Each structure stands twice: as C-alpha cells, then as structure tokens.
Amino acid sequence: MDIDIGNDRPFILIAGPCQIESKDHAYKMASSIKAITDKLGIQFIYKSSFDKANRTSLHGRRGAGIEEGMKIFDYLKLRIPGLQIITDVHTAEQCKMVAPHVDALQIPAFLCRQTDLLVAAAKTGKVINVKKGQFLAPWDMEQVVKKMRSYDVKNLWLTERGTSFGYNSLVVDYRSLIHLSKFGCPVIFDATHSVQQPGGKGDCSGGQREFVGPLARAAIAVGVDGLFMEMHPNPNLALSDGPNMVPLHRAEALLEQLVELRKVK
C-alpha cells in the first residue's frame, strides 16, 4: 500500500459512504472525494462496506454482497488511477476472498477481539486497521496489538471511534488517542462514528453530524495520523449511517480547515 503515514506528516483520510449502494454511486463518491483530496494534497483511501453485518434491524440494508462488491472495487481501481481501497471484513473466511481486491482490511469495532478474524486478516499481509471497540478502554487494545504482532503484521493501524456512554450514546475521550499511540501504531480518529447514537432510532442508529467538525478539529489538535469520515451526497437518503455522515458538498471546506490546522505547531 502506497501510504506515507505518521504524526509528523500530513494526515491521511479514510472516507466514503458507509456501504456500497451501487456501482455508479461508488464511482461518483470515490472520484469526487479523490478530486478534493488531490486538490488539498491529502493522501486518500476510499472506504465502503460490501456487507454491513451488524445492522440494528434484520430489515436494514446490508450492501452489495461480497461477489458484487469485489467487482465494484475492481471497477473503481480500473477507472480511477491510483485509488486505494479499504473495506470491512466480518469473518475469517472473507479475509482471503477480499484481500486481492483491496489495499487494506478493516476490523469492525464490535469484532476487534475476535482472534480468528484478526489472525486471518494478519495472514493476508495487507495493511490492517482495527477499530477500537466501544466497550474497551484504550489500554485494552494492547492485547489486540499483541495478537497481530505475533503474526508479524508490518502495518497495523488503530482507530478510535468513541466509547459507550450510557444508553444509545458515545463519548470521545481524547486521552485515548495518546494511549493508543503508545503501542507504536498509527492512530486514526473516526469523526463520524464517534457522533453516532447506536440504536438511537429504535430500528436503526441515529447520529449528530453537526459535531463531526468540532471533534475532527480537536483530534487534529491532539495529534493523529489520520481521519476517518463517512460521506454521502445526501446523508438523509443513505442506506445506512446517514445521521452521522458528512454531506459531500461540505467535505472540501471541512478538509481545507483541517489541513490548515495541521500546519499549526
């Protein structure tokens, strides 16, 4: 994976819609975000899930599926030169199937302690991004790191995405970013899932996207290696995670502000 990541470098951006909605939608999102990040000099990794296996309701839309999803990822790489892709994997079996089509694998927060999944991801040799579980203290991620390093993972990233705070709410403890950095792994801050309200609407999650900007600015000020943001042309029509997504038309202004903030020493 061609990514130069480090706290003394410009931040990287992992961004895209929560799930693959269609081939045309994926192309529009990937090409639009890449145009913005190329303009601003931001290293970009496109993120979208082929399957959302942890939906609140049985009736929630889950995505394109693994077979169609991999075809769409291949199409995006063919059509958009230099595009790098990361996607979630939910089972050990998926790792080997997905790895040839993407540049990095992501372990969802709910699954960050699933040893078989971690080991299977590690064996692919890909960059692995593990999202810290909402139920874990940051120092608990040390055991996750040890599991991955025991399989000689060369590129392991850790993502902070908020911690459970009472019912249907998350809170960000910015000390977590410092704790995670002590493990010697690049640290990513997920600015959109951190404002999620899990199960907040009964049959789906809610969110407070108005806080994405302030939380992202705070993370840049604390010092992170990258940011994670889900984006959509019309979040209110998104098939999942709409309430916490950044509207695409507001992305450039926010990212431009974050780039300037990163320059402050």
Side-chain angles (χ1 to χ4, degrees), residues 134-149:
Q134 305 92 320
F135 45 86
L136 290 182
W139 44 87
D140 291 334
M141 288 295 285
E142 181 177 10
Q143 302 308 317
V144 174
V145 172
K146 286 181 176 179
K147 288 180 183 180
M148 299 302 278
R149 285 183 174 159

Side-chain angles (χ1 to χ4, degrees), residues 229-244:
M229 295 184 191
E230 288 188 333
M231 300 179 182
H232 197 279
N234 188 340
N236 293 332
L237 297 180
L239 300 185
S240 55
D241 276 4
N244 52 261

Side-chain angles (χ1 to χ4, degrees), residues 105-150:
L105 299 177
Q106 181 165 278
I107 308 299
F110 283 128
L111 301 176
C112 70
R113 293 179 63 179
Q114 296 296 102
T115 301
D116 290 347
L117 176 58
L118 292 171
V119 170
K123 288 181 177 179
T124 66
K126 294 289 182 177
V127 173
I128 309 296
N129 182 34
V130 183
K131 302 188 88 172
K132 179 182 76 66
Q134 305 92 320
F135 45 86
L136 290 182
W139 44 87
D140 291 334
M141 288 295 285
E142 181 177 10
Q143 302 308 317
V144 174
V145 172
K146 286 181 176 179
K147 288 180 183 180
M148 299 302 278
R149 285 183 174 159
S150 69

Side-chain angles (χ1 to χ4, degrees), residues 133-198:
Q134 305 92 320
F135 45 86
L136 290 182
W139 44 87
D140 291 334
M141 288 295 285
E142 181 177 10
Q143 302 308 317
V144 174
V145 172
K146 286 181 176 179
K147 288 180 183 180
M148 299 302 278
R149 285 183 174 159
S150 69
Y151 283 87
D152 199 30
V153 173
K154 294 292 190 289
N155 294 292
L156 175 62
W157 303 349
L158 303 177
T159 293
E160 169 61 56
R161 51 94 73 235
T163 302
S164 297
F165 185 68
Y167 299 121
N168 305 123
S169 188
L170 299 169
V171 67
V172 177
D173 178 357
Y174 284 90
R175 295 175 299 178
S176 175
L177 302 174
I178 306 302
H179 282 296
L180 292 175
S181 70
K182 293 178 181 178
F183 302 132
C185 303
V187 176
I188 313 295
F189 177 65
D190 183 342
T192 47
H193 285 98
S194 291
V195 303
Q196 191 180 61
Q197 295 171 312

Side-chain angles (χ1 to χ4, degrees), residues 16-34:
C18 178
Q19 62 173 267
I20 298 173
E21 298 191 3
S22 70
K23 183 172 74 172
D24 290 343
H25 182 267
Y27 177 76
K28 176 182 178 180
M29 290 301 303
S31 58
S32 296
I33 301 172
K34 192 170 190 304

